[in-house]
Each structure stands twice: as structure tokens, then as C-alpha cells.
Amino acid sequence: MHWIPSSRRLASRCGETLNDYGISRDAPASSLRDGWLSRIRFFDNTLILALRNTFRRRGRLILTLSLLSAAGAMFMTGINVRSGWQAALDQSAADRHYDLEIRFNSPVPTEQVDSLLANVSGVEKSEAWNLTPAALNRPDALEIVRTYPDNECCPRCDA
């Protein structure tokens, strides 16, 4: 694709090509913009030159601004996701009124666990829970043991 601008340059003379800066004074927006910028007296000439260069290529300006806007939106989204995740973690820590939860792969007698925990220093209280998954009897023999809390088709049935 880079040969299209080059082919345009091949048709012009060498001096015209070297003196072309890519700025067209014939465009009405160019004269309006230069007139507006020349009326600003309290800015330095370097800043005025930078502003002219910024608005010289509209496509480049639009691309730069859109990419900066998208990057800013993604950055703000990341910050919001982080704060939401932190709030969810804080809420789950506040809902837990215990320090440790242990789940065994096979059934263990409660007396055996209580006797082991009684010998551990720092354990003030222990509680044994029996967890057994339960599912509704369905005609297709599919066992749905748990639904997610945001599932609206079934009432929340997890403890």
C-alpha cells in the first residue's frame, strides 16, 4: 500500500517533492485554524506550532483520540473490577464467622476429629457438619445438585 503515495511523488519534480510538507494552505479549515491560532497572543510560538501540527492531519488526530479514550476506558474498567472484587472478598470475609473449614474426602467419625482438635493449641471451639448433596428426581435421570445464586428459574436452595 505504500507505493500509492510514492507513485504520486514520481509524477512531480524533485524540488516540489522536497518542498512539500504535507500542509495544504488551500483548504478553508486550514486558513480558519491558522487565523484562530494567530490571534492567540499569550502562547509561545512553539505551542502554536504544536497545535497546528496536531490539527494538520484529522485522521491521525481522530485515531489518537479514539485510542486514548479506549485505553482510558479500559483502565477505568480495570480499576472498577478490582474494587468490586475487593468488595466481594471483604463481604465474604465478613460473612464467615470462623477461621478454618476442613472437608474430608471420606466420612470420619466426629469424636475422632474432636479429640484431635482438642490437642491443638488456639482452638477454642469446633463444630462438625455432615454435608450430603441432594437432588430432585427427574425423568431424564439428570441430577442437579446445586444451582447458582443468580439463577432466576429455580429458588435458591443451597445452604
Side-chain angles (χ1 to χ4, degrees), residues 52-71:
R52 281 183 188 162
N53 192 28
T54 300
F55 294 109
R56 183 177 67 178
R57 303 246 175 141
R58 286 186 192 142
R60 184 173 58 189
L61 175 66
I62 291 170
L63 180 65
T64 302
L65 290 177
S66 62
L67 288 175
L68 282 173
S69 300

Side-chain angles (χ1 to χ4, degrees), residues 52-152:
R52 281 183 188 162
N53 192 28
T54 300
F55 294 109
R56 183 177 67 178
R57 303 246 175 141
R58 286 186 192 142
R60 184 173 58 189
L61 175 66
I62 291 170
L63 180 65
T64 302
L65 290 177
S66 62
L67 288 175
L68 282 173
S69 300
M74 283 189 257
F75 180 72
M76 289 173 52
T77 301
I79 289 175
N80 288 335
V81 166
R82 181 187 174 276
S83 65
W85 180 257
Q86 190 64 41
L89 287 177
D90 293 341
Q91 182 65 37
S92 68
D95 289 344
R96 283 182 48 184
H97 300 292
Y98 53 90
D99 295 326
L100 182 65
E101 178 179 328
I102 300 172
R103 293 187 182 199
F104 298 105
N105 290 332
S106 60
V108 178
T110 306
E111 297 81 20
Q112 182 183 0
V113 174
D114 286 340
S115 66
L116 286 173
L117 290 177
N119 297 330
V120 177
S121 64
V123 175
E124 296 175 7
K125 182 180 173 183
S126 67
E127 214 175 283
W129 287 49
N130 188 9
L131 224 66
T132 305
L136 295 173
N137 191 11
R138 296 173 43 113
D140 57 0
L142 181 66
E143 293 182 5
I144 299 177
V145 175
R146 183 175 192 275
T147 60
Y148 290 101
D150 60 348
N151 191 353
E152 295 177 8

Side-chain angles (χ1 to χ4, degrees), residues 13-68:
R13 290 187 287 170
C14 184
E16 292 173 359
T17 304
L18 291 175
N19 289 329
D20 184 20
Y21 297 106
I23 301 171
S24 173
R25 292 274 185 196
D26 300 333
S30 172
S31 61
L32 288 174
R33 182 177 57 243
D34 289 343
W36 177 74
L37 287 173
S38 65
R39 280 185 249 136
I40 301 174
R41 300 284 183 214
F42 53 88
F43 286 140
D44 187 24
N45 285 339
T46 309
L47 181 63
I48 293 174
L49 182 64
L51 288 173
R52 281 183 188 162
N53 192 28
T54 300
F55 294 109
R56 183 177 67 178
R57 303 246 175 141
R58 286 186 192 142
R60 184 173 58 189
L61 175 66
I62 291 170
L63 180 65
T64 302
L65 290 177
S66 62
L67 288 175
L68 282 173

